[in-house]
Amino acid sequence: MADSAARFVPQTNSLAKLQAAAADCQGCDLYRRATQTVFGQGRAKAPLILIGETPGDAEDRAGRPFLGPAGRLLDEALADAGIDRADCYVTNAVKHFKWTPRGKKRLHSKPSSREILACRPWLEAELAILAPQLIVCLGATASQALLGRAFRITKSRGEVATSDSSGWVLATYHPSAVLRAPRPADRHRMRSELVDDLKTACRWLATHVGQANRAMKNQST
Ligand code: URA
């Protein structure tokens, strides 16, 4: 039988119940080496959901998404775009940390397509309960999970598109990709494009969703 979280996902409208059930997920092998499931976190009525790839080392230890270096960059980029993270819901396409040892360090490894698929029922359940107005995919893993394997950040970053399964989606860089860019000039450019894309998301919400105006802080363009 293919790996899947489906049998662990309860029928519920409660994010808290979903999160409690996810703590025991053994839908693929990643749970074996992770400290805990890192479930999504944020406002239940958030108009905007941000989806990353997998928790990193800091997130695995703390049990919360986007806390480490990538999380700090995300917080800064959101603030620069006029978005308060407290108004968003933040989650990952894969809910367990995947890592390889390097000395005393645990280095992040990219999840396989099989692991991404196995974890998808959690993401689908979160999206079904939250029904966000707009989803921001951070990086290729989340983007391809929602927009298809052919999606390329390099080509279609910053555009709001519809996904048959998930509604309105905008894809942008993963903050870790910005941090990993080898040249300072590239890091600078990517950071500023990430902020621009988040501003696009904020503007889109303000234009398309009246109520979202209140949820988002004033954004300077
Ligand atoms: N990278 C992610 O994709 N998610 C996190 O939670 C942290 C780092």
Side-chain angles (χ1 to χ4, degrees), residues 3 21 39 59 102-103 110-111 139 167 170 184 188:
D3 284 350
F39 204 67
E59 291 80 9
R102 168 92 53 91
K110 200 172 162 51
L170 176 148
H188 184 75

Coordinates of all heavy atoms in Angstrom, one line a residue, residues 3 21 39 59 102-103 110-111 139 167 170 184 188:
D3 N 2.3 4.9 0.8 CA 2.3 5.7 2.1 C 1.3 6.8 2.0 O 1.2 7.4 0.9 CB 3.7 6.4 2.2 CG 4.8 5.5 2.7 OD1 4.5 4.3 3.0 OD2 6.0 5.9 2.6
A21 N -4.6 14.9 16.1 CA -4.4 13.7 15.4 C -3.1 13.6 14.6 O -2.5 12.5 14.5 CB -5.6 13.5 14.4
F39 N 2.7 21.0 13.0 CA 1.5 21.3 12.4 C 1.5 22.8 12.1 O 2.3 23.6 12.6 CB 0.3 20.9 13.3 CG -0.9 20.6 12.5 CD1 -1.0 19.5 11.6 CD2 -2.0 21.5 12.6 CE1 -2.2 19.3 10.9 CE2 -3.2 21.2 11.9 CZ -3.2 20.2 11.0
E59 N 12.4 24.1 14.0 CA 10.9 23.9 14.0 C 10.6 22.5 14.6 O 9.7 22.3 15.3 CB 10.4 24.0 12.6 CG 10.4 25.4 12.0 CD 11.7 25.9 11.5 OE1 12.6 25.0 11.4 OE2 11.8 27.1 11.2
R102 N 25.2 15.4 9.7 CA 26.6 15.9 9.3 C 27.3 16.3 10.6 O 27.0 17.4 11.1 CB 26.4 17.1 8.3 CG 27.6 17.9 8.0 CD 28.4 17.4 6.8 NE 27.6 17.3 5.6 CZ 27.5 18.3 4.7 NH1 28.0 19.5 4.9 NH2 26.8 18.1 3.6
G103 N 28.1 15.4 11.1 CA 28.7 15.7 12.4 C 27.6 15.7 13.4 O 26.8 14.9 13.5
K110 N 15.6 17.4 1.3 CA 14.3 17.7 0.6 C 13.4 16.5 0.6 O 13.9 15.4 0.4 CB 14.7 18.0 -0.9 CG 13.7 18.8 -1.6 CD 14.2 19.2 -3.0 CE 13.1 19.6 -4.0 NZ 12.1 20.5 -3.4
P111 N 12.1 16.7 0.9 CA 11.3 15.5 0.9 C 11.1 15.0 -0.5 O 11.1 15.7 -1.5 CB 10.0 16.0 1.5 CG 10.0 17.5 1.3 CD 11.5 17.9 1.3
G139 N 8.2 28.5 -2.3 CA 9.1 27.6 -2.9 C 8.4 26.5 -3.8 O 7.2 26.4 -3.8
G167 N -8.2 26.8 -5.0 CA -8.6 28.2 -5.2 C -7.5 29.1 -5.6 O -6.6 28.6 -6.5
L170 N -0.7 32.1 -5.1 CA 0.4 32.8 -5.6 C 1.7 32.1 -5.1 O 1.8 31.8 -3.9 CB 0.4 34.3 -5.0 CG 1.6 35.2 -5.4 CD1 1.1 36.7 -5.5 CD2 2.7 35.2 -4.3
P184 N 25.7 37.9 -2.6 CA 24.9 38.9 -1.9 C 23.9 39.6 -2.8 O 22.8 39.9 -2.4 CB 26.0 39.9 -1.3 CG 27.2 39.1 -1.3 CD 27.1 38.0 -2.4
H188 N 19.9 39.8 -2.2 CA 19.3 41.1 -2.1 C 18.1 41.2 -3.0 O 17.0 41.6 -2.7 CB 20.3 42.2 -2.4 CG 19.7 43.6 -2.2 ND1 19.5 44.2 -1.0 CD2 19.3 44.5 -3.1 CE1 19.0 45.4 -1.1 NE2 18.9 45.6 -2.4

